[in-house]
Amino acid sequence: MVTAKAELNELFAIPPVTELPSDVLGELQSILRLHSISPEELSYKWESYTMKMGSEQTTLDLDTARAFKKDLQEMLERESRGKAHVRSVDKRGAYATPRSTGKGDDVFGMLDGIVPNTPVPQRANSLAKRKSAFETPAVPKFNKANGMSSPSDARTNGTTSMAFSERQNAGHLVETLNDHLPVCDPPVAPPAESRMKLTANTDLEKFSYKPMAMHLSEASEVLDDRIDEFQSLVQAHHNLEDSAFGNPANQATSEIIAVGRIASEGMEGKLNASSLMLETSRRTGAGLRIPLKIESMSYEFFPGQIAAVRGINASGLYFSVHEMLEMPLLPPAASLPSTLEVLNERLGLEESSESAAHAVNVLVSSGPYTADDNLAFEPFNALCEKAAESYADVLIMVGPILDLEHPLLASGDFDLPDDASIEPDKATLNDVFRILVGKPLRNLVLQVPNIIILLVPSVRDAVNKHVSWPQEQFDKKVLGLPKQAKVVTNPVTISLNEIVVGISAQDVLDDLRREEVKVGRPKESSILARLPRHLIQQRHFFPLFPPADRTSLLKTGTEEGVATGMPLDVSYMKLGEWLNVRPDMLITPSSLSPFAKVVESVLVVNPGPLSKRKGPGTYAQLSIYPRKVTEEERESERVGGTMFGHHLFDRARADIIRI
């Protein structure tokens, strides 16, 4: 264990200390033996554990080492129980999915448009052919004459991108929120320690489920539970009796309140005012659907929306809506004044002064990160240079990073840089990521050692084997990412100091725009403010159900031309819910115009893609000022332990900038 001991000291000892205490080292060596893992893999697990528990509370000592060991053991036992359950279910066949009719869809047509169609395997294919279909295509050798240019026959829709170096209006401000606040001043030198404390508010381990194993019975229970939970929320919010609720599908002469899911009358076609239906849960309405008749009212609906309606079904043919009940919102995020003051000290804020030097610098970007005709990742490299120049505190990168819809990646016909330390004929997409993405990030942390880099995957990421949403995080071990890079799930809720941030890589805003139907005159005229409000009211990162058919989405530059769409695993939709509070900031990348807006006290940011198909895109820069604590707030905490909101929307400047 001499080699392992040296590795553990190197990975876990915090300078200037070079060796761990013997009792802590013994616990770590015990974990290595029990789980048969390497010290490097143990360091990744420790990093995930500290994110879950909060880095301030997980300084490595004997107690935390034992707690870490116990957590790993419990996780292993949960995985074993889950595998045993799957084996028993498969053996009984109780939840087996009905067999297909052979026409390419499921028996009842219930999954049409929900998950992308997959080709039907041919029985005549040999085992070798089936195996090769899943192997990463070999990468051709690098052509030094062309550098990172694309082959002449690459599939790029017959168009050529503008050279990135010749781009116009680089650094131009597209939009600014709270322009009365100055942009944060970069420090003279990078900070000696990180000014931001990162905590994962999402249980990342729950996302490590087995994808493409959805059972219809489990999916229906999840959909029903969501309706029932909202009915309880509506009842408590409006102080209603149990007798006020009823089954809207039953003919009756008395007025009732019904809670259900908005659905369309037909399996195909867009939702419209004449095809509105309310789907009940099995507990409240036997799962029946009833047409809705809405007159002289203004409201916006979309498929999957949970709605509470007051009305009457006098004829038994439809439910006549008299009133739409307001959905209760989650409370805003709040903290104790003493906690805020500790975090302000971390920023170097003194009681009597406040300046742009105390503001936190956060950069937010979303994929794609390179144009369609090359893999030079020039916009991404420019973003890393910007982060280094401004000594950014946090860099949030939302996928896709290696995009499945990129024509060159889809065809496998591209070159690697000549300085790659790999054999080109044996290169995998993990190697491509490590060279084209990992190397610039490693250079960035050399210049800004205490930066926090957050990587959020997308269902379009070629290096993430988890193909469905909600989605597991990247495998940090194989991607060559630096220690400062943190990999999280899609979606995820995190805390940066006191600030609660919700992030989802799926373009839910564009999907909502396509599926939304407006009854009467909308209450909110701005579509960029109206669409995020749906997420806030529904308490979910993706409340749309079923997702938009991927054949109706924008065509891609690949040979197939069909978008990836939203491969939703309905059984795990609950992982996309907001559980306790409204986030202070919601990051929702979208193909819609980039923006930064305040909606229901939530700062909503769409940074836009860093690279468009034929040209550079945009990113967001946030200058976040400390939350000042007043003497009245301190007194309220001393008297009654009162917590106060963070008011991020008042103290954060958001700039949308062209790269």
Side-chain angles (χ1 to χ4, degrees):
M1 295 296 290
V2 176
T3 304
K5 178 180 178 180
E7 286 189 64
L8 289 172
N9 282 323
E10 181 181 354
L11 291 168
F12 289 91
I14 301 176
V17 178
T18 58
E19 291 188 1
L20 296 170
S22 58
D23 51 356
V24 174
L25 188 62
E27 288 292 340
L28 296 182
Q29 290 174 327
S30 173
I31 296 174
L32 296 183
R33 291 192 298 269
L34 284 173
H35 298 275
S36 300
I37 57 178
S38 66
E40 183 182 22
E41 188 173 350
L42 181 64
S43 70
Y44 294 139
K45 292 183 180 296
W46 170 253
E47 184 178 296
S48 298
Y49 179 73
T50 57
M51 284 183 59
K52 179 174 71 173
M53 303 302 295
S55 57
E56 297 296 312
Q57 288 75 33
T58 47
T59 302
L60 185 58
D61 54 27
L62 183 58
D63 292 336
T64 53
R66 288 174 175 172
F68 174 49
K69 180 179 180 181
K70 182 180 179 182
D71 184 78
L72 288 179
Q73 188 64 31
E74 291 175 350
M75 183 174 64
L76 180 64
E77 291 174 358
R78 285 196 299 270
E79 290 177 355
S80 300
R81 288 196 297 268
K83 291 177 181 178
H85 173 69
V86 169
R87 286 196 297 269
S88 63
V89 167
D90 291 342
K91 190 174 293 185
R92 295 194 306 268
Y95 297 96
T97 303
R99 296 296 180 187
S100 170
T101 57
K103 297 180 181 180
D105 53 6
D106 61 290
V107 175
F108 304 110
M110 296 178 69
L111 300 179
D112 291 349
I114 299 179
V115 294
N117 295 327
T118 54
V120 179
Q122 301 295 324
R123 294 182 181 274
N125 286 353
S126 66
L127 178 62
K129 288 183 178 180
R130 292 200 301 272
K131 182 178 180 181
S132 64
F134 291 92
E135 291 178 349
T136 303
V139 180
K141 292 184 178 180
F142 170 69
N143 185 344
K144 294 184 179 181
N146 292 335
M148 283 303 296
S149 63
S150 61
S152 58
D153 61 344
R155 301 180 181 89
T156 57
N157 287 340
T159 61
T160 303
S161 302
M162 176 190 298
F164 185 76
S165 59
E166 300 175 2
R167 67 192 186 280
Q168 304 294 319
N169 301 322
H172 173 69
L173 284 180
V174 177
E175 181 177 334
T176 298
L177 178 70
N178 290 335
D179 56 1
H180 63 282
L181 297 173
V183 178
C184 57
D185 295 334
V188 178
E193 60 179 4
S194 177
R195 302 199 301 162
M196 300 297 284
K197 169 189 171 185
L198 172 65
T199 306
N201 300 333
T202 298
D203 189 349
L204 305 182
E205 295 173 358
K206 291 184 177 179
F207 288 75
S208 301
Y209 63 89
K210 182 180 180 182
M212 301 179 68
M214 181 174 63
H215 302 300
L216 290 179
S217 58
E218 295 176 359
S220 64
E221 289 175 3
V222 170
L223 295 174
D224 278 353
D225 289 345
R226 183 161 167 79
I227 296 175
D228 295 339
E229 288 169 4
F230 265 85
Q231 178 165 317
S232 300
L233 293 172
V234 169
Q235 182 175 1
H237 180 70
H238 293 279
N239 296 318
L240 299 170
E241 299 291 337
D242 291 341
S243 58
F245 296 89
N247 183 357
N250 290 342
Q251 182 177 0
T253 57
S254 58
E255 190 177 66
I256 63 166
I257 295 172
V259 179
R261 178 178 293 103
I262 297 297
S264 178
E265 185 177 15
M267 294 294 293
E268 298 180 358
K270 187 178 181 295
L271 181 71
N272 56 65
S274 60
S275 66
L276 280 173
M277 302 194 78
L278 189 72
E279 177 184 296
T280 62
S281 69
R282 284 175 290 187
R283 185 178 71 85
T284 60
L288 297 175
R289 290 182 174 184
I290 185 70
L292 293 180
K293 184 177 181 181
I294 302 176
E295 296 178 349
S296 64
M297 291 179 59
S298 297
Y299 213 80
E300 302 87 40
F301 293 103
F302 61 87
Q305 176 182 356
I306 307 299
V309 295
R310 188 194 301 272
I312 189 172
N313 182 358
S315 64
L317 301 177
Y318 60 85
F319 189 79
S320 180
V321 179
H322 302 156
E323 180 188 1
M324 296 291 304
L325 273 67
E326 178 186 2
M327 285 293 178
L329 301 180
L330 282 167
S335 299
L336 292 171
S338 58
T339 303
L340 296 174
E341 289 183 314
V342 170
L343 295 171
N344 287 344
E345 290 176 5
R346 193 185 188 106
L347 301 179
L349 179 67
E350 297 178 0
E351 186 70 25
S352 59
S353 67
E354 180 177 355
S355 68
H358 298 119
V360 174
N361 182 15
V362 179
L363 302 183
V364 182
S365 64
S366 67
Y369 287 85
T370 189
D372 266 11
D373 67 343
N374 68 76
L375 287 175
F377 280 84
E378 291 172 299
F380 170 63
N381 285 287
L383 179 68
C384 290
E385 291 175 5
K386 171 66 177 177
E389 292 171 1
S390 61
Y391 293 122
D393 294 288
V394 181
L395 171 61
I396 299 176
M397 294 176 55
V398 185
I401 301 176
L402 282 189
D403 191 358
L404 285 170
E405 296 182 3
H406 193 288
L408 302 181
L409 288 174
S411 66
D413 192 8
F414 57 89
D415 300 321
L416 286 174
D418 57 355
D419 61 350
S421 58
I422 57 172
E423 298 180 41
D425 293 335
K426 297 181 180 180
T428 66
L429 290 177
N430 289 336
D431 297 318
V432 174
F433 187 102
R434 186 166 58 250
I435 297 166
L436 300 181
V437 181
K439 185 176 180 180
L441 292 180
R442 292 192 294 272
N443 292 335
L444 172 60
V445 301
L446 291 176
Q447 301 176 70
V448 192
N450 289 303
I451 189 174
I452 294 176
I453 303 172
L454 205 66
L455 286 90
V456 183
S458 163
V459 294
R460 286 165 48 185
D461 267 301
V463 294
N464 195 316
K465 297 179 181 179
H466 205 275
V467 297
S468 58
W469 190 98
Q471 187 180 21
E472 190 180 16
Q473 62 263 48
F474 289 117
D475 186 349
K476 184 177 178 180
K477 180 180 179 181
V478 300
L479 298 180
L481 294 170
K483 184 178 181 180
Q484 292 86 340
K486 312 297 182 182
V487 291
V488 293
T489 56
N490 172 31
V492 69
T493 303
I494 61 170
S495 288
L496 293 171
N497 285 357
E498 80 283 359
I499 304 165
V500 179
V501 184
I503 312 172
S504 177
Q506 191 64 27
D507 189 354
V508 63
L509 299 184
D510 188 53
D511 289 349
L512 285 172
R513 178 187 64 83
R514 295 171 184 274
E515 300 295 330
E516 183 190 48
V517 57
K518 296 177 284 294
V519 177
R521 187 173 182 177
K523 299 177 182 177
E524 174 60 65
S525 58
S526 171
I527 189 171
L528 298 182
R530 189 172 69 246
L531 297 178
R533 182 171 281 107
H534 290 317
L535 307 184
I536 297 170
Q537 291 176 339
Q538 296 291 302
R539 309 177 175 204
H540 204 282
F541 285 105
F542 196 90
L544 186 67
F545 183 83
D549 187 348
R550 66 186 187 129
T551 58
S552 67
L553 303 178
L554 292 175
K555 300 298 181 183
T556 67
T558 62
E559 182 177 16
E560 184 185 22
V562 181
T564 305
M566 175 57 162
L568 175 66
D569 196 314
V570 184
S571 301
Y572 293 90
M573 274 183 63
K574 196 170 182 65
L575 294 178
E577 290 183 356
W578 302 356
L579 299 180
N580 300 316
V581 296
R582 261 179 287 165
D584 296 306
M585 178 164 58
L586 177 63
I587 299 175
T588 58
S590 175
S591 59
L592 301 179
S593 299
F595 65 87
K597 293 186 179 295
V598 177
V599 182
E600 300 289 357
S601 302
V602 178
L603 174 57
V604 184
V605 179
N606 168 25
L610 190 68
S611 176
K612 300 178 181 179
R613 289 188 177 181
K614 294 184 289 183
T618 56
Y619 68 95
Q621 180 177 11
L622 303 171
S623 302
I624 303 175
Y625 285 78
R627 166 66 161 86
K628 296 296 289 289
V629 178
T630 65
E631 189 58 43
E632 292 78 6
E633 291 173 339
R634 294 190 188 95
E635 183 62 27
S636 297
E637 180 185 5
R638 285 193 290 267
V639 174
T642 308
M643 303 177 75
F644 293 90
H646 301 152
H647 303 299
L648 179 68
F649 54 88
D650 277 338
R651 56 187 178 93
R653 174 187 173 119
D655 294 312
I656 306 296
I657 307 173
R658 294 192 187 279
I659 188 64

